[in-house]
Amino acid sequence: MTAAVAQIQTNSIEDAPLLKVQNLAKFYGSRVGCQNVSFDLFPGEVLGIVGESGSGKSTLLAALAGHHQPDRGTIHYRDQDILALQESERRRLSRTEWAFVHQNPRDGLRLGVSAGGNVGERLMSVGSRHYGNIRTQALDWLERVEISPDRIDDRPSSFSGGMQQRLQIARNLVTSPKLVFMDEPTGGLDVSVQARLLDLLRGLVRTLGLSVIIVTHDLAVVRLLADRLMVMKSGEVVEQGLTDQVLDDPQHGYTQLLVSSVLQV
Amino acid sequence: MNAQAYNFAYLDEQTKRMIRRAILKGLAIPGYQVPFASREMPMPYGWGTGGVQVTAACLVPEDKLKVIDQGADDTTNAVSIRKFFEKTAGVEVTEATGEASLIQTRHRIPEQDLSKDQILVYQVPIPEPLRFLEPRETETRKMHELEEYGLMHVKLYEDISRHGEISTSYAYPVKVEGRYIMDPSPIPKFDNPKLSDSSAIQLFGAGREQRIYALPPYTDVQSLDFEDYPFEVSKAPHDCDLCGAKDTYLDEVITDDAGSRMYVCSDTDFCSTRRQNGHVGRLGTPVSSEVA
């Protein structure tokens, strides 16, 4: 009896949303950044946010990740009210259980520090003080993102764009976060490198059971990665649902336009 | 213009009050960088304008002042600052570490243990230990506030990955009373252990950067390290060639263009006192015969 109850409780915890967003809004003066955004993100789920430039998707992501304070609404992470957290707590979250992959790897990496140092920084910031262990983990992660181990002491400024982006991903995932925010992770990469990166990301997301919120304007990226899709226009969510459903049978006029605007090669 | 045209110790009384307030705040929060309204001093930045202002704020007419630069009493920086205070404050000066009540220093801590009646004032070029890793001042302040010091170890990590050991040999970062990370000014890491549990008051002044910080007596100061690469002091593997001391920090002096060199104590007062007491090194001569 007790065991059964405990079982039900664990289930309910696993089924509970990891991130619960309600009525989120962010304004720039009188202009709307984004508004009326509500959604739940479940563990292991990948949520894609698509929309044209200026539709508020990056604003939404930045508000979720705590880069700026939203004007209205609530964000709950595992039943914790994120907006009510102390700054120190929020920053601790953002370097342990959360991760943020920038569009431009230069924003997410320290270019003056070696690849190993970049990966190790998050470990050291959560208190790791054993050089050997840090190095072993850095090597392990470089291998997982397909960077040759003999590049560990090279600076990322000597890396190609694709390698820098993979290094940024390794640096973010080394503390095994639960929730990863990605802002156009494949932007600025050529198509073949994009494909490799997407392949890598898909593998990591599946094996590590990550929850991901990925912002992009590239429908191919969400088709490949996302379980669920939110389409944004002028700061509001105009349509959301399962990725294949939204892309194959778009309901909103804007989504139809967006889907039909993709070049068929 | 003669010396009487100046207020005692050059700075006006209001400025000294302002600096003293910053010093007191610094002593109350060991290792915390207190901003202060640094004044223009009649010497260039980089010559110890921060240290000079702290010294000026601490001096009283009864003080006995010693000024050292890289351990030496007779180098340009030390001589000019000592003369400056002789002229503007009229205080007594000395070269003997034990006799001084206030010591202003650049890049060294005297070899002789300091007493509880002494104040040691450091000249600091860049007070922010995180500066070269994180250039944004707003961000480094936040990191101090929230105790986010992982980045400091990234620097040590980089040292080991590049050189196989922690090669930072001066301005070696320390943690004060388990809280603030502090730049001990560019003293060699040989001197780092002397920062901790010192009987004297230690004050740090950075003029260009407008920061004062302090270590009250008997403060715990730990040098950062890794578990598998512990902090180690380093010095040239020699004895002093003049006084024969085995455990002092040494300067290397090139003596000709054929590769000859000698190692001498960087603390000139310590070295000459030992020689007065009859200690002789490899290249030294007994003091009495030198005079003759």
Side-chain angles (χ1 to χ4, degrees):
Chain A
M1 169 68 198
T2 345
V5 171
Q7 186 58 40
I8 290 165
Q9 277 173 346
T10 1
N11 278 346
S12 67
I13 287 170
E14 274 172 10
D15 294 342
L18 193 66
L19 195 72
K20 207 174 170 64
V21 178
Q22 274 168 337
N23 260 324
L24 202 71
K26 167 77 188 171
F27 300 98
Y28 297 111
S30 60
R31 285 176 204 283
V32 177
C34 62
Q35 62 180 348
N36 300 330
V37 180
S38 303
F39 66 88
D40 290 343
L41 181 75
F42 291 87
E45 190 181 30
V46 179
L47 173 68
I49 303 176
V50 293
E52 59 192 3
S53 295
S55 59
K57 49 192 192 326
S58 293
T59 299
L60 173 61
L61 195 72
L64 292 175
H67 294 183
H68 56 56
Q69 192 78 6
D71 296 307
R72 268 212 303 271
T74 56
I75 307 172
H76 284 86
Y77 173 75
R78 294 180 151 185
D79 296 328
Q80 265 181 312
D81 185 352
I82 292 302
L83 301 176
L85 277 185
Q86 293 263 329
E87 189 177 12
S88 59
E89 274 294 299
R90 205 165 59 225
R91 284 172 66 117
R92 195 189 54 75
L93 255 187
S94 72
R95 59 171 196 270
T96 53
E97 296 192 23
W98 293 5
F100 196 101
V101 177
H102 292 265
Q103 173 175 10
N104 189 340
R106 285 178 178 77
D107 297 332
L109 292 173
R110 289 188 193 279
L111 292 184
V113 171
S114 71
N118 266 293
V119 178
E121 180 179 345
R122 270 171 81 107
L123 293 172
M124 293 182 243
S125 71
V126 295
S128 187
R129 292 291 178 266
H130 191 285
Y131 176 82
N133 294 350
I134 294 167
R135 189 124 175 125
T136 316
Q137 289 201 51
L139 279 169
D140 177 43
W141 268 99
L142 289 185
E143 214 178 304
R144 284 163 95 161
V145 297
E146 299 165 21
I147 295 176
S148 160
D150 60 10
R151 302 299 299 271
I152 188 173
D153 293 330
D154 292 349
R155 292 184 176 187
S157 45
S158 69
F159 286 9
S160 70
M163 280 172 81
Q164 288 183 352
Q165 196 57 284
R166 278 179 278 146
L167 180 63
Q168 192 192 179
I169 289 164
R171 165 183 161 96
N172 272 293
L173 297 187
V174 67
T175 48
S176 355
K178 303 270 183 300
L179 174 59
V180 184
F181 301 98
M182 296 188 188
D183 188 4
E184 309 249 7
T186 56
L189 300 176
D190 73 55
V191 185
S192 63
V193 175
Q194 260 191 33
R196 243 179 98 196
L197 187 75
L198 285 174
D199 210 36
L200 174 78
L201 274 178
R202 193 164 57 167
L204 288 173
V205 165
R206 295 285 174 264
T207 50
L208 302 173
L210 299 173
S211 300
V212 179
I213 298 180
I214 181 164
V215 159
T216 180
H217 55 252
D218 189 344
L219 292 182
V221 171
V222 284
R223 174 78 95 175
L224 206 61
L225 280 180
D227 304 314
R228 218 143 51 83
L229 199 58
M230 266 171 39
V231 184
M232 291 189 75
K233 183 179 186 300
S234 312
E236 299 211 39
V237 177
V238 294
E239 183 164 356
Q240 57 177 318
L242 297 175
T243 306
D244 292 344
Q245 180 195 330
V246 172
L247 292 182
D248 295 342
D249 182 17
Q251 299 294 312
H252 190 271
Y254 174 71
T255 319
Q256 293 171 353
L257 211 63
L258 198 69
V259 171
S260 63
S261 71
V262 175
L263 281 177
Q264 304 292 334
V265 189
Chain B
M1 195 185 273
N2 61 25
Q4 272 68 54
Y6 296 110
N7 187 32
F8 173 77
Y10 187 75
L11 291 174
D12 61 275
E13 291 304 315
Q14 285 305 315
T15 300
K16 286 200 241 173
R17 278 185 64 179
M18 176 270 294
I19 295 172
R20 283 173 198 146
R21 274 198 290 265
I23 292 172
L24 288 175
K25 184 169 179 180
L27 285 166
I29 318 171
Y32 170 73
Q33 299 168 44
V34 186
F36 80 111
S38 176
R39 299 290 193 252
E40 289 263 344
M41 297 304 284
M43 60 189 72
Y45 287 127
W47 280 59
T49 52
V52 164
Q53 289 178 74
V54 170
T55 300
C58 292
L59 273 184
V60 291
E62 298 77 34
D63 265 326
K64 211 166 196 185
L65 179 70
K66 170 182 165 80
V67 184
I68 48 177
D69 169 10
Q70 309 265 16
D73 289 277
D74 50 4
T75 45
T76 318
N77 199 218
V79 171
S80 65
I81 292 174
R82 190 164 58 229
K83 278 202 178 139
F84 176 75
F85 282 116
E86 266 186 293
K87 203 170 191 174
T88 59
V91 290
E92 240 187 295
V93 294
T94 177
E95 294 193 358
T97 305
E99 284 175 23
S101 58
L102 199 157
I103 305 173
Q104 180 171 337
T105 179
R106 170 175 180 266
H107 297 194
R108 269 319 302 277
I109 299 176
E111 302 288 354
Q112 187 181 331
D113 282 342
L114 300 176
S115 73
K116 64 183 174 57
D117 304 319
Q118 291 178 307
I119 299 177
L120 186 60
V121 176
Y122 297 77
Q123 304 170 196
V124 182
I126 294 166
E128 179 52 71
L130 301 161
R131 172 67 71 245
F132 291 109
L133 297 148
E134 176 53 66
R136 289 168 295 179
E137 173 78 15
T138 48
E139 186 65 17
T140 52
R141 279 207 205 182
K142 185 117 287 171
M143 290 158 98
H144 283 295
E145 176 191 336
L146 302 175
E147 261 188 283
E148 291 180 0
Y149 288 136
L151 193 55
M152 203 70 247
H153 274 84
V154 173
K155 178 184 156 65
L156 303 182
Y157 170 94
E158 289 289 282
D159 269 4
I160 301 173
S161 72
R162 224 173 285 162
H163 306 288
E165 58 175 6
I166 300 179
S167 57
T168 302
S169 56
Y170 65 95
Y172 192 103
V174 293
K175 191 164 213 176
V176 180
E177 286 289 337
R179 177 60 181 86
Y180 283 98
I181 290 217
M182 187 188 93
D183 182 335
S185 88
I187 58 171
K189 69 177 168 185
F190 176 86
D191 283 341
N192 267 22
K194 288 185 229 160
L195 289 164
S196 191
D197 209 29
S198 166
S199 310
I201 295 175
Q202 300 174 81
L203 306 174
F204 299 77
R208 176 172 40 204
E209 302 283 325
Q210 315 200 324
R211 295 287 184 279
I212 285 172
Y213 49 103
L215 296 173
Y218 310 112
T219 302
D220 178 52
V221 180
Q222 292 300 329
S223 304
L224 299 182
D225 58 5
F226 284 104
E227 287 156 16
D228 43 349
Y229 285 86
F231 171 79
E232 278 169 7
V233 297
S234 68
K235 60 165 284 209
H238 296 272
D239 300 344
C240 173
D241 283 333
L242 292 180
C243 75
K246 295 178 188 310
D247 50 1
T248 57
Y249 193 71
L250 302 173
D251 284 339
E252 182 182 13
V253 183
I254 309 284
T255 46
D256 60 25
D257 58 1
S260 308
R261 58 200 59 202
M262 65 188 289
Y263 293 90
V264 295
C265 292
S266 94
D267 186 336
T268 51
D269 171 59
F270 187 79
C271 196
S272 59
T273 308
R274 272 178 62 87
R275 294 175 71 200
Q276 298 286 350
N277 294 341
H279 296 276
V280 181
R282 184 175 64 96
L283 301 171
T285 43
V287 175
S288 51
S289 71
E290 205 176 60
V291 171

